[in-house]
Amino acid sequence: DQAKEIMKRYANAYPSSKSFMRFAKWAEYEAKDVDLARTVYESALVELEPEESRQARVFGRFAAFEERQGEYERARVIYKHATKLLHLGQEGTQPPGEEEVSKWEQEKRNELYKAYIAFEKKRGDKAGIEDIVITSQRAQYEKRVNEDPRDYDAWFEYAKMEEENEIEGVDNAGKVREVYERAIANVPPSMEEKQLWKRYIYLWIYYALYEELQQHNLDRASKIYDACIDLIPHSKFSFSKIWINAAKLHIRRKDLVSARKLLGKAIGMCGKEKIFTEYIALELALGEVDRCRALYTNYLKQMPHNCRAWSKYADLEKSVGETERCRAIFELAVSQAALDMPEMLWKNYIDFEIEEGEGDNVRALFERLLEKTGHVKVWISFAQFEGTGVGKGVVTARDTFQRAHDQMKEAGLKEERVLLLDAWRVFEKQKGDAESLAKVDAMLPRRVKRKRMRTDENGAELGWEEYFDYHFPDDGDSKAGNLKILEMAAKWKQAQQAQDSSSSSEDESDDED
């Protein structure tokens, strides 16, 4: 008892972590008084000044004491309290209101954190170990987002970590929502540059998807989309993905009226092609053909150059058996002054008339198209069409091939003539006879290698290069004569080189004699 009183007087006279730790050690090992030792440790945490009580060694010895006594839950509570109070496992972070930690104290805190991990591995379960890891990861993400609040990738990873933690059985929906709410509060600084908003918008999308898929809270997800739409400066730029996702959410909520209103608003404020196509797909799935027609009308008023839209509109009318309406749409489409993919539109129009068996209409379309472009593929398709059952037959197809060949010959288009003759030859193999095939073979050119001077944009010579040219049998006599002269000149040059080499060998033999 006297020793106990002396230790109490010592601790009161010198109130420090060192004196309290000595007192607790004496109580445990000398006095064998476990309750007294525990009381001393608790008093150290409560009665000492913060700079003394917040030392890592105080928590470490207290936790070790409880572990020795078999009080594992008490030890776990002490470790968790120390982790939260001292920010254990959070490199580079400082507890609020605390002065700069010395190097020695930081080392002790690292040792305490390692002891906590070892304790959980030894005494804890899977959830306890994962809680330690998650706490460390959370601290790292907090450091990243505090250094740069607009590091949206860090926010994505942070929220994903919290979601995965929730999936594994920890109820932390509030934590996930807190992360997302903090993330979306960091609005890009500029309302003029869309590039800065592209990553930011996905925070709202992921937040809404989390509420819908994980929490099954469709109302909250809808409110998130509405808040995002109100935030975007639509007069400068907009995002079709937000509008479409919000509308699809209304459909999943079985609120078709709200979905239509939202998509109609999106057309007025955003007006992107994706919104039109999604809205049309929705109405088409519902069988609302008249609504689809109205949407296509608005679609093509805003984008009259869009050949894909014209083709889809015509396909719609074709699918419901409105042949004349389909033909009228194609006619209106090909009459537009500017089109982004006219070749696709004309091909679809021609294919439509072929399916309808209207040979005269197809022939007229090819003639109109050839007035706009004399491309070799158009001629080939025209001739191949004439050889089908809808066309006039093989003779007309040959006449079309010949007509195309004459025009290209007159225009001096050698490579196009080669492509045309190759297609004509394949056609004759399929539907012609030996005589007609031989006639086409006789028209095939001979490929010759030639040289020409390369020049840059300013006309400066860059040197000679070799290229392949085509000589057609039915080219003019002057061209054939020029080619024959070149061949004779090449033979004469070879003969001269052979004669010079023989003369030089005779001179060498005379010198040896």
Side-chain angles (χ1 to χ4, degrees):
D1 292 337
Q2 290 181 355
K4 179 179 178 181
E5 290 298 325
I6 292 172
M7 292 302 296
K8 283 184 177 181
R9 288 168 60 190
Y10 167 63
N12 291 330
Y14 301 97
S16 65
S17 60
K18 185 176 181 181
S19 63
F20 273 72
M21 293 304 100
R22 284 183 177 178
F23 189 7
K25 183 178 181 181
W26 175 86
E28 180 183 1
Y29 291 102
E30 299 295 335
K32 306 298 182 180
D33 191 345
V34 175
D35 293 335
L36 176 60
R38 182 176 289 118
T39 302
V40 173
Y41 280 120
E42 292 175 351
S43 299
L45 294 177
V46 175
E47 297 177 5
L48 291 178
E49 295 294 330
E51 61 269 14
E52 293 289 336
S53 63
R54 289 191 176 187
Q55 292 183 10
R57 65 174 181 171
V58 177
F59 291 97
R61 291 188 181 183
F62 192 6
F65 163 76
E66 294 292 359
E67 189 174 358
R68 285 193 299 271
Q69 306 307 318
E71 297 287 347
Y72 302 126
E73 287 302 321
R74 284 177 172 269
R76 181 174 288 108
V77 171
I78 294 168
Y79 277 126
K80 287 186 176 181
H81 180 63
T83 301
K84 184 177 180 180
L85 185 66
L86 304 180
H87 288 198
L88 299 183
Q90 304 178 21
E91 294 291 337
T93 61
Q94 191 82 4
E98 187 177 48
E99 297 179 357
E100 186 176 356
V101 180
S102 64
K103 185 177 180 181
W104 181 84
E105 174 62 19
Q106 186 61 50
E107 291 177 356
K108 290 296 181 181
R109 291 185 180 185
N110 294 338
E111 292 176 3
L112 178 60
Y113 187 61
K114 291 178 182 178
Y116 180 25
I117 296 175
F119 169 79
E120 288 293 351
K121 288 181 178 178
K122 184 179 179 181
R123 307 294 182 185
D125 53 8
K126 181 180 178 182
I129 297 172
E130 290 179 349
D131 184 57
I132 298 175
V133 176
I134 291 169
T135 301
S136 178
Q137 291 179 345
R138 188 177 289 126
Q140 294 175 4
Y141 287 126
E142 284 291 340
K143 181 180 178 182
R144 287 179 60 183
V145 298
N146 287 332
E147 290 176 352
D148 183 7
R150 293 191 177 89
D151 183 2
Y152 299 127
D153 289 331
W155 286 112
F156 285 129
E157 296 171 10
Y158 193 179
K160 183 178 179 182
M161 185 270 292
E162 295 290 1
E163 288 184 35
E164 290 175 351
N165 181 28
E166 182 187 43
I167 292 172
E168 291 171 0
V170 181
D171 185 13
N172 65 338
K175 291 183 179 179
V176 178
R177 286 170 178 162
E178 179 187 357
V179 173
Y180 275 121
E181 289 292 343
R182 290 170 58 196
I184 61 179
N186 298 292
V187 182
S190 176
M191 292 288 183
E192 303 291 334
E193 299 181 22
K194 184 177 181 179
Q195 186 67 28
L196 300 176
W197 284 69
K198 287 185 176 180
R199 294 292 288 166
Y200 172 72
I201 286 299
Y202 276 94
L203 285 172
W204 290 90
I205 295 175
Y206 286 4
Y207 188 11
L209 291 176
Y210 165 75
E211 292 293 348
E212 179 183 0
L213 302 179
Q214 300 297 334
Q215 299 300 320
H216 307 289
N217 193 338
L218 302 187
D219 292 337
R220 187 179 178 91
S222 180
K223 291 178 181 178
I224 292 170
Y225 280 124
D226 292 341
C228 181
I229 290 172
D230 293 338
L231 182 64
I232 298 173
H234 299 286
S235 59
K236 304 294 183 182
F237 52 81
S238 189
F239 296 91
S240 59
K241 185 177 290 292
I242 290 290
W243 293 100
I244 293 169
N245 285 6
K248 288 182 176 180
L249 177 61
H250 283 306
I251 295 171
R252 290 190 289 274
R253 295 174 65 197
K254 299 181 180 180
D255 189 356
L256 184 59
V257 175
S258 297
R260 282 172 171 161
K261 287 181 179 179
L262 189 63
L263 288 172
K265 183 179 178 181
I267 289 174
M269 298 183 69
C270 182
K272 290 191 175 183
E273 181 179 2
K274 186 69 174 175
I275 294 176
F276 279 106
T277 56
E278 291 290 341
Y279 197 178
I280 291 169
L282 168 63
E283 297 296 353
L284 191 60
L286 297 172
E288 297 287 348
V289 178
D290 291 336
R291 285 181 177 271
C292 291
R293 286 169 176 160
L295 287 171
Y296 271 119
T297 302
N298 292 329
Y299 186 3
L300 292 169
K301 282 181 180 179
Q302 293 192 25
M303 305 175 192
H305 61 279
N306 195 322
C307 293
R308 186 178 291 105
W310 286 107
S311 298
K312 291 291 185 180
Y313 191 8
D315 289 341
L316 171 66
E317 297 296 350
K318 177 184 171 183
S319 65
V320 296
E322 294 287 349
T323 304
E324 292 302 323
R325 290 178 69 97
C326 179
R327 184 175 288 115
I329 290 169
F330 273 125
E331 278 296 331
L332 186 60
V334 298
S335 65
Q336 299 298 313
L339 296 169
D340 55 358
M341 290 186 291
E343 65 282 355
M344 181 195 77
L345 189 62
W346 280 95
K347 181 180 182 303
N348 291 341
Y349 192 4
I350 291 171
D351 290 343
F352 163 73
E353 293 293 359
I354 291 175
E355 291 178 6
E356 294 295 323
E358 298 291 342
D360 294 337
N361 291 345
V362 176
R363 195 169 296 107
L365 285 175
F366 271 119
E367 293 293 348
R368 290 167 58 188
L369 182 56
L370 288 171
E371 292 177 1
K372 295 178 177 291
T373 175
H375 198 280
V376 62
K377 289 185 178 181
V378 178
W379 281 109
I380 293 172
S381 298
F382 191 8
Q384 290 173 343
F385 154 73
E386 292 292 5
T388 61
V390 184
K392 291 185 176 181
V394 176
V395 176
T396 306
R398 290 191 183 115
D399 293 340
T400 305
F401 273 120
Q402 186 64 51
R403 177 184 163 196
H405 181 267
D406 295 340
Q407 288 194 12
M408 292 178 188
K409 177 182 177 181
E410 183 179 353
L413 303 175
K414 294 185 177 181
E415 293 184 359
E416 286 76 1
R417 287 172 69 187
V418 174
L419 293 175
L420 181 72
L421 290 172
D422 288 340
W424 193 353
R425 191 168 183 272
V426 172
F427 176 80
E428 294 294 349
K429 282 184 177 181
Q430 295 176 347
K431 300 189 177 183
D433 51 20
E435 182 180 355
S436 61
L437 181 60
K439 180 182 177 181
V440 176
D441 287 338
M443 299 170 66
L444 293 175
R446 184 163 61 91
R447 194 171 72 163
V448 294
K449 185 186 291 186
R450 294 185 179 179
K451 291 184 178 181
R452 61 187 173 192
M453 179 63 67
R454 290 190 303 115
T455 58
D456 58 12
E457 297 177 354
N458 299 324
E461 296 182 352
L462 301 176
W464 293 92
E465 67 173 0
E466 292 184 346
Y467 72 100
F468 289 101
D469 195 9
Y470 296 98
H471 174 67
F472 292 86
D474 56 349
D475 282 346
D477 294 338
S478 60
K479 292 184 179 179
N482 291 338
L483 184 61
K484 191 171 183 180
I485 291 173
L486 290 174
E487 292 176 353
M488 293 175 63
K491 291 180 180 179
W492 176 83
K493 186 175 181 180
Q494 292 177 357
Q496 286 292 109
Q497 290 176 351
Q499 184 177 357
D500 293 341
S501 62
S502 62
S503 299
S504 60
S505 61
E506 291 177 359
D507 293 340
E508 290 176 358
S509 62
D510 292 340
D511 292 340
E512 291 176 357
D513 294 340

